[in-house]
Each structure stands twice: as C-alpha cells, then as structure tokens.
Amino acid sequence: MTRKELIDQIRKKKSFLCVGLDPDLNKLPRHLLNEEDPVFSFNKAIIDATAPFCVAFKPNLAFYESLGSTGLISFEKTVRYLGSCYPDHFVIADAKRGDIGNTAKMYARSFFDFYNVDAVTLSPYMGADSITPFLEYKGKWGIVLALTSNKGCEDFQLTVDKKGCRLFEDVILKTSKLGSPDNIMYVAGATRGSLLADVRRLIPRNFLLIPGIGSQGGDLEEVAKLTLIEDIGILVNSSRGIIYASQDTDFDTVAAIEAKNLNEQMAELLS
Amino acid sequence: MTRKELIDQIRKKKSFLCVGLDPDLNKLPRHLLNEEDPVFSFNKAIIDATAPFCVAFKPNLAFYESLGSTGLISFEKTVRYLGSCYPDHFVIADAKRGDIGNTAKMYARSFFDFYNVDAVTLSPYMGADSITPFLEYKGKWGIVLALTSNKGCEDFQLTVDKKGCRLFEDVILKTSKLGSPDNIMYVAGATRGSLLADVRRLIPRNFLLIPGIGSQGGDLEEVAKLTLIEDIGILVNSSRGIIYASQDTDFDTVAAIEAKNLNEQMAELLS
C-alpha cells in the first residue's frame, strides 16, 4: 500500500487506529478452544468486528511462533484472510527482525513475497544492511524501532553519544536516509511523552507507528498533539485494550465497542 | 546443556566448531529438490556428515521462515532430529529476537518449550526486559548480539557515548549482569580484529559465538589468539564455507572434509 492510499483510508474513516492481533491461548475466550484453529477463529472475529473502525492490523509474530508451525499456519491464514477480505487495510508483521544483509533478504522475501504483508517492524542494532533489503519492494514498508514503549527503552536507546545525539536519534538520522517517507516508518512509544516531539522534529514527514496507549499507559490526546501532521503521519496501535476487553463469548462485540470508542476520539482529534 | 557439559564436549572432540544450517533453495544441490522435504533432507545429510567434527549446530530462522509454515516444519524436523540423534550437540536458534517483556516471554516459550533448543540469539536494542525472559530456563542460554560481523556493525555498535564507552561495550556491561557465564553468551564477529580482545577483556568468562570466518573473511588463528580462555569460551561458526562447499551430489562428503579441516586446525589451537 502506498503512502497516499494509507492517508486516503485514514481520512475516509477518520481513524488512524491499528489493532494488534496478539492471540495468547491463555487469554482466549474459553469457548473458542474447541474450534479447529482457535487462533484464527479469534482473529477472524476480532478483524470482522473492528475493521470498520481501524485502518491497520498488526499481528505480532511471537504469539504465533510460540505455537510452532501450527501457529505459523494461523498467522498465514490471518494475513491471507486480511488480503482477500480487507484489501484496504494496512497489514504490519510485527517481527522486529534484524540480521546481516544476506539473511535480511530472506526475511524480506518471507514477509513480502510469501505472506504479502505491507510492512515489517525492524530492529536497527545491526545497521544499514539489515534494513535496506526491506526497502527494495514497491509499495512495501520497513518500520524501524526508534523509541520503544517498554522500560528497557532506557537501557540503550536514550544513551547520549559524544556529539550529544541520543541513540534513537542517531538511528532515525542514519536510517531515514536509506529510504524515504514513502517506505520507512518508525516505532515511537506513546509512553515516551515529550521525546515524541523530538522524534517528530527529526522526521517531519515519516509515519510513526505508536504503541503503548491503553494497557501500557500512554495518552491518545497527548500523543496526537505531539505527532499529528498535515498528512496525518501516525498509526496508533492498541492490542490488549481491544482484543481482551472481554474474554467471554461477547469478546468481539466488546472489542468493536473499544475500537469504535478510539475511532471517535481520533475523529475528533483529526477535525 | 550446561556450561560444563559444553566444555566437556569441546575437550573431547578438540573442536569448538558450530555448523550453520542456512538452507537456501537456490543453493541446494539440484537432486535434492525432488525430495518431499528438500530442506530437511539437506540438513539431515549435512548434520550426519559434520557431527563428528563439531559441537554445535546453528539454524538461522530466516532461511526457514522465507518458505512460510512449510519452512517452519523443516526447522522443527531439524531440531527434533538433532535432539533425538545428537543430544550431545548444542543447538542454537539464530533468530535475533528482541521484544517487550510480555512478548519476549512468548518467544522464549517458543524456542525453549516448543522447539527445545539450547540457545537463542537476541538483539539488545529494546533493553533488559527483552532479554531476561530467556534467562529463566535452566540449562538454556541467551546469546546477545554485541559486535556483529557485517558492515552495518559500524553504524551504531561502535558509537562512543559521553563516558567513552562504545555501544557494544555498554550492551555487554549492562546485559552481563542480568545473568552469568552459565546462561549468557555474546555474538562477536571474527571480522572485528582487535575489538575481539576488548570484548574478551570485558567478559573474561562468557562464551562468545563467533561468526565470520570463511566467506566473510575472518581468520581462525587470530580469533583464537584473541578470545580463547582456559575454559575454551568460544564457539566459532561456519555456514556457507561448509554447507555449500559443493553444490553437487557430493555436498555432504565435501562438507565433512571442510568441517574436519576446521576441526584439525582447532585441535592444534587447543593443544
């Protein structure tokens, strides 16, 4: 999906919501466990219920891989279902991959040729050649970790170098030159307060993928104030706050209510 | 596998060789492509041929994931085969994972409970909580990226902070306190010359997983001089130099010759 198509979808729906598809067997509604593929049944119901209120879906690979090849089959069914029934939704494989160039090519092939998702999250520790192979596919995106929402963000990402540049800033400065706002986004956590403004200053045009509202404590209004641009430029993710809002038989209806709620707040922020 | 068991294996075989299992369909011997599972057939033949000369095997997940769930089935068959036929070999899932604590737990569950490998490679960008979940399994290991063998290593890993500490040093200093030499190893590339000595000074007891000899240009003798300790403390990996030494029907025999060759050089370095 191109940048223009993504922005058009956001304007049409008045929503920059991304729904995280992180199915944990221990948290799935009990009645689904009797289904042939509980993970896919759960995802399908969540997707059908929340699609009208969001523009993106983000399955995190860890939740599928923890179930071995069976889980990967559920992941594949999920992205194929999205591709055929919801082609206007942006699909992000949250995989946080990062390997030497030769190997990064294999990961890019996996996500873009085989699964055909729109974007993959990438870890920048191994540098440029771990990122460039993902930028060679037309209409596909690399989403580089810059400033993450977890506590561990403080361990290395905020380290200041001799020139006064913090690691997340150095990551943004160096990697943004590898592509353009048409194929690189950045992860920046909603929990990082004013640092979000620093990120926005460095990259006035790139989309940001912003996790950390809801369960993790980030505030939607503050996030929008610091990062929204004329071309929108943000996708705000919510996973647990939506998909596990109810763990009973009404899980999809309640997920839809939570998504609609966020959609309404976003519509207000966009107006 | 415990540290003591690993060291015992190395002494017994006079080898600290790790064979990288990176099966690329474009490089596999043609005659294998007619098999039901070419990747597993290739791996099985390479494992049987090289096992006498190495102490560890390291499948890189990217090569399996690029084939979708089919590839993951080949990966699973490979690690199950290693577990049942070669229980004395150390098995490393080269996955370079790194995610927030909650999600890192799912990855740890995947690799240690489901696939039952001995170790997983980890990317440190997201900090402590992305690593600790892997250190909570008895007899299992986290192998943290410190100084990688690729060109991109220079982009961030060598950045010097205000206190004069390079990022890879900061990574080693902070993460080594999360566990001990009994459950944390570090990746340090054979191509990094004297920086390997700096790594060894910081962690005099931890095992290092050293890629980059052979195709990537690192020199085994120099590496050993800079990093070998009384408890051995190194695993040196070779992938392409062994598994693609011949791409013809004799690929396994030639792989065995290459592995034996390295084993003999290592025996000399250990004596």
Side-chain angles (χ1 to χ4, degrees):
Chain A
M1 184 180 289
T2 65
R3 179 183 164 90
K4 185 181 176 309
E5 287 165 344
L6 177 59
I7 295 169
D8 287 349
Q9 281 301 315
I10 295 173
R11 290 202 201 284
K12 191 173 132 189
K13 288 182 148 169
K14 302 189 189 354
S15 171
F16 45 86
L17 178 62
C18 174
V19 173
L21 298 172
D22 301 353
D24 179 343
L25 283 189
N26 297 321
K27 290 184 184 161
L28 254 48
R30 293 297 92 183
H31 71 286
L32 289 183
L33 300 182
N34 304 319
E35 304 257 335
E36 199 193 319
D37 183 342
V39 165
F40 178 65
S41 298
F42 176 74
N43 282 353
K44 184 175 175 304
I46 292 283
I47 291 166
D48 291 340
T50 60
F53 313 113
C54 69
V55 292
F57 287 101
K58 179 177 77 61
N60 184 314
L61 269 290
F63 291 84
Y64 303 86
E65 291 184 14
S66 71
L67 305 170
S69 51
T70 318
L72 262 285
I73 291 168
S74 307
F75 172 76
E76 186 176 339
K77 281 159 77 176
T78 301
V79 296
R80 301 257 182 260
Y81 181 69
L82 284 166
S84 60
C85 298
Y86 298 95
D88 292 337
H89 282 71
F90 190 78
V91 181
I92 301 165
D94 193 1
K96 302 187 176 70
R97 296 301 191 254
D99 211 313
I100 64 172
N102 172 48
T103 309
K105 267 185 202 160
M106 300 300 285
Y107 277 129
R109 197 186 291 175
S110 167
F111 289 110
F112 294 151
D113 285 336
F114 186 83
Y115 293 117
N116 197 24
V117 298
D118 295 290
V120 186
T121 56
L122 304 172
S123 178
Y125 189 76
M126 293 182 68
D129 62 291
S130 63
I131 290 167
T132 45
F134 294 88
L135 307 178
E136 289 161 7
Y137 288 73
K138 216 176 157 172
K140 304 290 185 188
W141 300 71
I143 307 182
V144 180
L145 299 181
L147 193 65
T148 58
S149 57
N150 64 321
K151 172 105 184 61
C153 162
E154 294 156 28
D155 292 330
F156 307 115
Q157 296 166 31
L158 303 185
T159 301
V160 181
D161 72 12
K162 284 196 298 191
K163 297 176 198 151
C165 184
R166 286 165 293 193
L167 179 59
F168 76 90
E169 293 170 314
D170 195 26
V171 163
I172 290 172
L173 286 168
K174 282 187 183 139
T175 61
S176 60
K177 288 179 197 142
L178 304 174
S180 77
D182 290 322
N183 63 1
I184 304 192
M185 300 188 184
Y186 289 89
V187 172
T191 51
R192 294 293 148 200
S194 66
L195 292 176
L196 281 176
D198 299 340
V199 169
R200 183 45 89 206
R201 253 192 306 276
L202 282 178
I203 32 172
R205 291 194 65 232
N206 291 74
F207 259 85
L208 306 178
L209 170 62
I210 304 178
I213 63 155
S215 316
Q216 292 183 62
D219 177 73
L220 180 61
E221 203 176 323
E222 194 202 351
V223 162
K225 212 174 69 188
L226 298 171
T227 59
L228 258 181
I229 55 174
E230 201 177 320
D231 276 351
I232 320 287
I234 60 175
L235 290 171
V236 170
N237 183 75
S238 174
S239 305
R240 287 171 272 175
I242 291 177
I243 67 176
Y244 300 128
S246 161
Q247 290 175 251
D248 214 328
T249 49
D250 62 351
F251 72 99
D252 49 351
T253 322
V254 180
I257 294 169
E258 291 297 326
K260 187 165 184 283
N261 221 328
L262 285 168
N263 187 175
E264 284 165 2
Q265 291 175 53
M266 289 175 179
E268 194 144 318
L269 293 165
L270 287 173
S271 71
Chain B
M1 187 181 287
T2 65
R3 179 182 163 90
K4 184 180 176 308
E5 287 164 346
L6 177 59
I7 295 170
D8 286 349
Q9 281 302 313
I10 295 174
R11 290 203 201 283
K12 192 172 132 190
K13 289 182 149 170
K14 302 188 189 354
S15 171
F16 45 86
L17 177 63
C18 174
V19 174
L21 298 171
D22 300 355
D24 180 343
L25 283 189
N26 298 321
K27 290 185 186 162
L28 254 49
R30 293 298 92 185
H31 71 286
L32 289 182
L33 299 182
N34 304 320
E35 304 257 336
E36 198 193 321
D37 183 343
V39 165
F40 178 66
S41 298
F42 176 73
N43 282 353
K44 185 175 174 304
I46 292 284
I47 291 167
D48 292 340
T50 61
F53 313 112
C54 70
V55 292
F57 287 102
K58 179 178 77 63
N60 184 313
L61 268 290
F63 291 83
Y64 303 86
E65 291 184 14
S66 71
L67 305 170
S69 50
T70 318
L72 263 286
I73 291 168
S74 307
F75 173 75
E76 187 176 337
K77 280 159 77 178
T78 302
V79 295
R80 301 255 182 261
Y81 180 69
L82 283 166
S84 61
C85 298
Y86 298 94
D88 292 337
H89 282 71
F90 191 78
V91 181
I92 302 166
D94 193 1
K96 302 186 175 71
R97 296 300 190 256
D99 211 312
I100 64 172
N102 173 47
T103 308
K105 267 184 202 161
M106 302 300 284
Y107 278 128
R109 199 186 290 176
S110 167
F111 289 110
F112 294 151
D113 286 336
F114 186 83
Y115 293 119
N116 197 25
V117 299
D118 295 291
V120 186
T121 56
L122 304 172
S123 178
Y125 189 75
M126 293 183 68
D129 62 287
S130 63
I131 290 167
T132 44
F134 293 88
L135 307 178
E136 288 161 9
Y137 288 74
K138 216 176 157 173
K140 303 290 185 188
W141 300 71
I143 307 182
V144 179
L145 299 181
L147 192 66
T148 58
S149 57
N150 63 322
K151 170 108 184 60
C153 162
E154 293 156 29
D155 292 330
F156 307 114
Q157 296 166 32
L158 303 185
T159 300
V160 181
D161 73 12
K162 283 197 299 188
K163 296 176 201 152
C165 183
R166 287 166 292 194
L167 179 58
F168 76 90
E169 294 170 314
D170 195 25
V171 163
I172 290 173
L173 286 169
K174 282 188 182 136
T175 61
S176 60
K177 287 180 197 142
L178 304 173
S180 76
D182 290 323
N183 62 1
I184 305 191
M185 299 188 186
Y186 288 90
V187 172
T191 52
R192 294 293 148 200
S194 66
L195 291 177
L196 281 177
D198 298 341
V199 169
R200 182 45 89 205
R201 252 193 306 277
L202 281 178
I203 32 171
R205 290 195 64 231
N206 291 75
F207 259 85
L208 307 179
L209 171 63
I210 305 177
I213 62 154
S215 315
Q216 292 183 62
D219 177 72
L220 181 60
E221 201 176 324
E222 194 202 351
V223 161
K225 210 175 70 188
L226 297 171
T227 59
L228 259 182
I229 55 174
E230 201 177 319
D231 276 351
I232 321 287
I234 59 175
L235 289 171
V236 170
N237 184 75
S238 174
S239 305
R240 287 171 273 175
I242 291 176
I243 67 176
Y244 300 128
S246 161
Q247 290 176 251
D248 215 327
T249 48
D250 62 352
F251 72 100
D252 48 352
T253 321
V254 179
I257 294 169
E258 291 297 325
K260 187 164 183 284
N261 220 330
L262 284 168
N263 186 175
E264 283 166 2
Q265 291 176 54
M266 289 175 180
E268 194 145 319
L269 293 165
L270 286 173
S271 69

